[in-house]
Amino acid sequence: MSTLIARRTSAAALGLATALVLAACSNPSDGGTTEVAAANGGKTKINISPDQHRLTTDKVNSIAAEVPEKIRKRGTLEIVDSTGSAAPLTFHATDNKTMIGVETDLAYLVANVLGLKPHTNSVSWENIFVGLDSGKYDVGFSNITDTEERKEKYDFASYREDNLGFEAKKGSGLKVSGPKDVAGRTVAVDSGTNQEKLLVEWSKEDEKAGRKPVNIKYYQNASDTYLALQSGRIDLYVGPNPTAAYHAATTGKTEVVGTYSGAGATLQGLIAATTKKDNGLVKALADAFNEIIDNGTYAKVLKRWGLSDEAVTKSRINPPGLPKTNK
């Protein structure tokens, strides 16, 4: 790992882990909140009720005019996210049906700037891309990593740093910084993700070096994964660092034992709004992101969900992403 990436990913992990420290509790009398320890030693409440009181911002006519005519006439922005995601990215509120989280909040702000009514659609991970391909959905907001392979079919407007987290049972003594640390370990990962790509390549690297390959496991949902982690059937789970740190903070049963850039050893990974390639929407999305970055609502949303350390200073269209061969 390069010194720059090591420092940035470590800072991201530390910032989130200290923002969301250990035990948390739901408080129904307070409308449904989770209370976690804040970095300053106080308490931070995260609203997990369906009544989100989301931040809003004004329409910007010059940016709205960049939206393809078909979408402008429809009047809605068809947003797709994943039902398999988890707090604080996208997850169900206390009513078990309303999708909330940082991804949803940012998508709503972008829709505000574009003068469109946001309409969210929650599907399985693979169906995000099926729906984008068919034109059923306009844009994916689901912690989607910018990768060179995906760029062949999709356009990206970046909006957050992408860092991966390796989560282990608390007190495991494990530390992960590279391939040798997972050699011979049983590690769970979600199929079709860049985390899986990284893990597969690390396993191959271990074999070439004469070490044992990684025993990769897949589970249908997060609850099954964490049950396997607690029971000792797996050693590690690798996923988005925000969800790993949030889970560790709110349960006190696991810990993040390593982080890594979502784009590999030499490049800071980026999360991006994802559209079908050349559908004409990506410039409007990037300009909308830059508007909310400039007007301060972007920073407020990230702070609300404990993700300030993953902020970017500018949205970029199709920036360098995870290489096809992650070395």
Side-chain angles (χ1 to χ4, degrees), residues 267-285:
L267 182 69
Q268 174 58 57
L270 293 170
I271 299 299
T274 306
T275 70
K276 185 177 181 180
K277 195 162 191 67
D278 299 325
N279 75 348
L281 184 58
V282 70
K283 186 177 187 304
L285 292 170

Side-chain angles (χ1 to χ4, degrees), residues 8-38:
R8 294 182 76 179
T9 54
S10 295
L14 180 61
L16 185 57
T18 52
L20 302 169
V21 180
L22 296 180
C25 59
S26 177
N27 184 358
S29 66
D30 199 19
T33 62
T34 290
E35 188 175 71
V36 294

Side-chain angles (χ1 to χ4, degrees), residues 21 55 64 78 88 95 105 118 132 146 161 167 180 263 270 282:
V21 180
L55 286 167
E78 293 297 326
D95 64 355
D105 280 3
L132 291 174
D146 166 29
E161 288 191 353
E167 192 174 359
K180 63 179 175 53
L270 293 170
V282 70

Side-chain angles (χ1 to χ4, degrees), residues 88-104:
L89 300 174
T90 53
F91 62 109
H92 284 110
T94 51
D95 64 355
N96 290 319
K97 61 181 181 180
T98 303
M99 293 301 286
I100 62 175
V102 67
E103 303 286 80
T104 308

Side-chain angles (χ1 to χ4, degrees), residues 30-52:
D30 199 19
T33 62
T34 290
E35 188 175 71
V36 294
N40 62 7
K43 296 288 185 179
T44 296
K45 287 185 178 180
I46 295 177
N47 179 11
I48 57 173
S49 77
D51 189 6
Q52 284 290 289

